[in-house]
Amino acid sequence: MAFNQGCKGIIPGEEVEQKYLYYFLYANVEMLNGLGTGATFKELSATKLKAVSIPLPPLSEQRRIVSVLDAAFAGLATAEANTRQNLTNTRELFERAIGDSFAHLTDNERTPLGEIADFKNGLNYTQSSKGQSIRVVGVGDFGDNDIAPLDAAEYATIDGELDDGYRLTKDDVVIVRSNGSKHLVGRCMLIPDIDEATSFSGFVIRARVDRERLIPDYLLEYLKLASTRDTLTREGGGANISNINQKKLSRLTIPVPEQAIQKQIVEQVQALKSKRAELVDTLERKLAALAALKQSLLHRAFHGELMSARSETAKSFAEVAG
């Protein structure tokens, strides 16, 4: 095995334990990164690397430190793996529960979306366009948002003035129609109150519903179901770009119960999402705590503050308990 010119190799001398050196470098990644120079491509020179000081206790102490860190890190790795699995399980459990909110609706209530909504593809413009400057909602604004973050949408100059057909209004639903990453296609958001001219890009479709038959929030939650996105994106696009189109959206049949039931389902789904967000936040904070604890252990290891392997591991889990 070899390494290319983008790497540097370090051969430890007899006075340093290999894994002790590894843990030291691992603990000081940010410091080493700060030593890199270069405007577009950072490089860590051999001269600067050689000048880095490393605490060097006797080999017996180095081996003790390695033993303590190995034991603690093994425990932390198990805790991290369990937490990540809990995170996955939580998301899957709530995804099923949200889907179940619609499961009781009968097939007799299903209606082609094209009968209760109209669609429009977004604006196309170029850097040479000369005309009105407006906010434009693009694919990069979607993420996992339910409500479009209009304040974050970038301004763009379009050709001429904004036609009313491309102007977004409150309660429009915008949907990613085309992207190189299939997992982004089908993402959707609801448009909130708007206080300035705002449109949407050519990679986005706008859906505007018949408010007498369909609540926009209800359509949003139905489109966000994994089963709905799978239906819309199946066999979509070519080798590099996946897409959905107005024809697919128009053919999509959705359950349309009376609006009181639609509202009830929206409230139920939003309550589930709120609980999911709370649990996900708790688990993600635990992952952050485990990562911080790992850095704390490394800091203590090279400042003479590490206890025995048994005591250190017990303390590690005590610090992230709960």
Side-chain angles (χ1 to χ4, degrees):
M1 182 177 290
F3 51 91
N4 66 16
Q5 67 273 18
C7 304
K8 273 187 171 53
I10 300 177
I11 301 175
E14 293 182 356
E15 68 275 19
V16 60
E17 184 76 15
Q18 285 184 329
K19 202 163 187 182
Y20 176 85
L21 176 59
Y22 162 76
Y23 277 133
F24 172 78
L25 295 172
Y26 184 44
N28 289 279
V29 168
E30 289 187 10
M31 179 270 289
L32 295 171
N33 185 59
L35 296 177
T37 57
T40 58
F41 186 86
K42 273 191 172 185
E43 181 175 357
L44 177 60
S45 70
T47 301
K48 289 196 173 182
L49 188 56
K50 287 177 181 178
V52 172
S53 296
I54 175 173
L56 206 61
L59 281 171
S60 59
E61 178 60 11
Q62 292 180 40
R63 289 168 183 149
R64 186 191 73 83
I65 289 172
V66 167
S67 175
V68 172
L69 290 176
D70 280 348
F73 277 29
L76 290 173
T78 299
E80 182 178 356
N82 290 340
T83 303
R84 291 191 184 281
Q85 186 59 55
N86 288 339
L87 195 55
T88 298
N89 293 343
T90 295
R91 289 182 171 128
E92 291 177 351
L93 175 65
F94 277 91
E95 186 65 36
R96 288 196 298 271
I98 290 170
D100 288 345
S101 300
F102 295 86
H104 68 283
L105 301 177
T106 66
D107 289 339
N108 295 332
E109 296 170 317
R110 301 186 77 88
T111 302
L113 187 54
E115 293 184 9
I116 48 180
D118 65 74
F119 309 98
K120 191 169 186 64
N121 290 358
L123 279 171
N124 291 307
Y125 51 89
T126 66
Q127 291 184 342
S128 60
S129 296
K130 296 180 180 179
Q132 187 178 2
S133 180
I134 61 171
R135 285 194 189 271
V136 177
V137 175
V139 174
D141 297 312
F142 280 74
D144 293 322
N145 294 312
D146 287 342
I147 306 299
L150 298 183
D151 289 344
E154 295 184 355
Y155 284 92
T157 299
I158 63 173
D159 292 307
E161 296 292 311
L162 179 62
D163 183 273
D164 282 344
Y166 290 103
R167 186 185 296 269
L168 289 173
T169 62
K170 185 179 185 299
D171 289 335
D172 283 343
V173 176
V174 287
I175 308 155
V176 177
R177 75 175 185 87
S178 181
N179 195 265
S181 298
K182 189 169 183 176
H183 76 279
L184 294 177
V185 175
R187 291 193 177 191
C188 52
M189 303 185 294
L190 190 68
I191 300 298
D193 286 322
I194 299 179
D195 57 9
E196 62 180 311
T198 305
S199 189
F200 49 108
S201 77
F203 295 109
V204 175
I205 294 178
R206 183 267 292 149
R208 187 170 290 165
V209 305
D210 177 354
R211 293 294 303 272
E212 292 186 359
R213 299 183 63 186
L214 199 63
I215 297 174
D217 302 72
Y218 174 86
L219 174 61
L220 177 80
E221 300 300 354
Y222 188 80
L223 290 176
K224 279 185 170 288
L225 292 175
S227 57
T228 304
R229 287 187 62 191
D230 181 63
T231 298
L232 288 172
T233 59
R234 194 180 299 127
E235 299 176 357
N240 299 317
I241 295 180
S242 296
N243 63 76
I244 58 177
N245 52 41
Q246 295 187 30
K247 187 176 181 180
K248 275 190 172 184
L249 285 166
S250 295
R251 288 199 309 245
L252 178 70
T253 60
I254 70 170
V256 186
E258 60 184 61
Q259 291 205 2
I261 295 177
Q262 292 181 39
K263 184 177 180 181
Q264 183 181 40
I265 291 173
V266 168
E267 290 173 350
Q268 181 177 345
V269 169
Q270 290 179 348
L272 287 168
K273 283 186 172 182
S274 178
K275 184 62 177 177
R276 178 180 64 187
E278 180 183 330
L279 292 174
V280 167
D281 180 66
T282 297
L283 292 168
E284 287 180 340
R285 281 190 283 109
K286 184 170 184 179
L287 286 174
L290 289 168
L293 178 55
K294 186 178 290 187
Q295 288 302 313
S296 173
L297 287 170
L298 288 166
H299 175 82
R300 296 208 296 267
F302 297 102
H303 288 79
E305 302 171 6
L306 221 53
M307 301 178 293
S308 69
R310 183 184 298 274
S311 300
E312 196 60 58
T313 304
K315 183 177 180 183
S316 299
F317 288 110
E319 291 183 18
V320 295

